[in-house]
Amino acid sequence: MTPFSPIYFIKENKKKCILLIFMIFLSYGVYLGGLYVSNAFDNWKLSLEYSDKMLIVKQAASDKNGHEFQLFKEKILKDDKVKAMPVASYNGFSLESIMGFTMDTLDLTFSTVDDFKAYCDYMGIECDFLKLNDGSAVMSSRFAANAGLKKGDKIDSDIKNENHVFGEYTLDFITNEDGYLLYFINKDLPNQILIFSDKMENKELFDYVCKYQNSYNVHIKENLRDRLEGQLGVFNILYMFIVMLISLIMSVTINAAFIGMYQRRHFEFAVYRAIGISKQRIIAKISGELLCMDIIGITVGGIVAFTSLYLLNHMVLYPVGKYLRYFHPVALAGLLFCNVMIIIPLIFTRSRKLLKADICEY
């Protein structure tokens, strides 16, 4: 193993290098913070996938007697290009998020079991419809765990402090949907129209229904994704600001620690210069040492972080209907930014300083 090998340097300076590797390892806190911040939007992931495939139309505020809405309802129910059914979206209650505040979720009330079955068939939801009737409630398993409910429990206005449940229901089925979903069946409540199509989704479906809006005075509810991205997007902005601040602090701190280590090696690099070692090889040596420590720190950090996440999810969060995902682009972007902010200035400043080392000074 030659002195120009990065491993040789780390082996000869174990204690100092371990300390610096540990400091780089701490940058994984930025990654975990990104997973934590993105969790609010993750809670809506499946709900957003569903909402992108459908539209909800309700009575316009200016349609005082509901005459226009009734005409629209009669027309859309006869359209063979779409599937339409009466629903309500004001029955439901909030979930407890991992960030410490409560959040709403997608909740729909259907007038009949047949309508709910058509919805499930379209969305790919597995359910035992023979167990359902007027007054039934259906929840996803994660939401049921979050609310502390099990099959057969009663759901009414007293179920939680923050709720808007109208009537009394029995939780007759728990689905395996990977999200927070809640459905009710009550023939008396639906006052809106849910529309979906086997041939159209998203903007195409929206544009098709808008043609009806030109003829009838009705209100198409805002797309759930558009509303949430506006509300929850602030978390990503705040996170990136915090990442930049932490990156700056860590860059200054780690740079200061490396200055002390490399100052003691000033004579070593002066000798390299004196015997004719090229600047490129010196820069490569410094870069190799720093990148090697960085890779070790990131690798160890990844092992510890993902092991901790696994234990946290399975032992603490899953039992209460919560979770942290293992990967998110925002978290990865934060980690990479922090890492680049630490390593690039280090390579630049140490190389620039040590390339000036002169044997004549000794």
Side-chain angles (χ1 to χ4, degrees):
M1 188 180 295
T2 67
F4 268 73
S5 169
I7 302 300
Y8 176 85
F9 170 74
I10 295 173
K11 183 178 178 181
E12 295 297 316
N13 299 270
K14 293 186 184 70
K15 291 183 179 179
K16 294 178 181 178
C17 288
I18 288 173
L19 176 61
L20 295 172
I21 288 171
F22 176 74
M23 294 175 71
I24 294 173
F25 157 82
L26 292 178
S27 66
Y28 253 94
V30 170
Y31 183 81
L32 296 177
L35 299 180
Y36 178 75
V37 168
S38 64
N39 182 259
F41 202 83
D42 282 347
N43 292 340
W44 283 93
K45 182 181 178 182
L46 188 61
S47 299
L48 292 175
E49 291 179 10
Y50 287 178
S51 65
D52 285 343
K53 299 179 180 180
M54 64 188 186
L55 289 174
I56 294 181
V57 181
K58 64 180 183 177
Q59 182 178 326
S62 56
D63 184 18
K64 301 299 183 182
N65 58 11
H67 177 68
E68 289 288 313
F69 181 71
Q70 187 61 34
L71 291 175
F72 167 81
K73 179 179 177 181
E74 294 173 358
K75 186 71 174 179
I76 198 71
L77 289 173
K78 296 177 182 178
D79 192 330
D80 58 2
K81 291 186 178 181
V82 298
K83 178 68 176 178
M85 61 186 64
V87 295
S89 57
Y90 48 70
N91 234 352
F93 50 85
S94 55
L95 64 93
E96 296 178 0
S97 72
I98 199 172
M99 299 185 74
F101 56 81
T102 57
M103 298 179 63
D104 289 332
T105 186
L106 179 64
D107 46 75
L108 294 169
T109 300
F110 298 83
S111 59
T112 67
V113 175
D114 287 341
D115 282 348
F116 179 56
K117 183 179 185 304
Y119 169 84
C120 289
D121 290 343
Y122 178 69
M123 295 298 180
I125 303 169
E126 296 183 1
C127 182
D128 187 352
F129 303 102
L130 296 177
K131 296 181 178 180
L132 307 182
N133 51 60
D134 189 29
S136 290
V138 177
M139 297 182 75
S140 62
S141 57
R142 184 172 292 163
F143 200 178
N146 187 276
L149 295 172
K150 60 183 183 299
K151 190 183 293 186
D153 285 351
K154 299 296 181 182
I155 298 176
D156 55 27
S157 58
D158 297 325
I159 186 68
K160 296 183 74 173
N161 292 329
E162 296 185 26
N163 74 84
H164 40 97
V165 177
F166 299 89
E168 183 176 291
Y169 304 87
T170 302
L171 182 55
D172 288 327
F173 194 82
I174 296 177
T175 71
N176 290 321
E177 295 168 281
D178 188 22
Y180 300 95
L181 291 307
L182 177 60
Y183 311 103
F184 300 90
I185 299 174
N186 188 325
K187 61 183 176 59
D188 298 322
L189 287 183
N191 62 343
Q192 303 170 0
I193 298 293
L194 183 146
I195 302 170
F196 56 83
S197 171
D198 293 327
K199 302 175 181 178
M200 297 176 287
E201 289 183 12
N202 300 329
K203 189 176 185 304
E204 186 180 2
L205 178 61
F206 178 82
D207 290 341
Y208 183 81
V209 177
C210 278
K211 295 178 182 178
Y212 281 97
Q213 197 176 29
N214 295 331
S215 303
Y216 302 99
N217 182 25
V218 293
H219 176 72
I220 301 177
K221 292 184 69 172
E222 180 185 11
N223 180 271
L224 185 59
R225 187 179 298 276
D226 294 338
R227 177 164 62 87
L228 282 178
E229 285 180 347
Q231 293 177 354
L232 300 180
V234 66
F235 286 113
N236 290 339
I237 296 174
L238 181 62
Y239 169 68
M240 293 311 298
F241 174 78
I242 294 174
V243 167
M244 288 189 285
L245 181 62
I246 292 175
S247 299
L248 180 61
I249 294 172
M250 292 191 69
S251 178
V252 172
T253 303
I254 294 177
N255 211 321
F258 271 89
I259 287 175
M261 176 186 288
Y262 276 84
Q263 275 181 339
R264 297 184 181 90
R265 303 176 65 197
H266 200 268
F267 177 75
E268 174 191 344
F269 284 91
V271 172
Y272 293 152
R273 294 292 311 283
I275 62 177
I277 301 296
S278 68
K279 291 183 178 180
Q280 289 75 16
R281 287 195 65 190
I282 292 175
I283 294 174
K285 174 179 172 58
I286 296 170
S287 300
E289 293 171 357
L290 295 175
L291 288 173
C292 188
M293 283 186 277
D294 182 51
I295 291 171
I296 293 172
I298 291 297
T299 302
V300 173
I303 294 171
V304 173
F306 287 110
T307 301
S308 301
L309 273 174
Y310 179 84
L311 295 174
L312 178 66
N313 276 328
H314 284 80
M315 298 178 67
V316 179
L317 299 181
Y318 286 165
V320 294
K322 301 176 184 178
Y323 75 103
L324 272 175
R325 67 155 75 184
Y326 295 95
F327 170 79
H328 195 281
V330 170
L332 180 61
L335 176 63
L336 292 177
F337 180 83
C338 183
N339 196 248
V340 168
M341 285 289 291
I342 292 171
I343 293 302
I344 298 303
L346 266 177
I347 293 175
F348 177 77
T349 56
R350 293 307 91 216
S351 298
R352 188 168 180 268
K353 182 71 175 177
L354 293 173
L355 283 175
K356 297 178 180 179
D358 189 347
I359 194 67
C360 296
E361 295 178 2
Y362 302 91

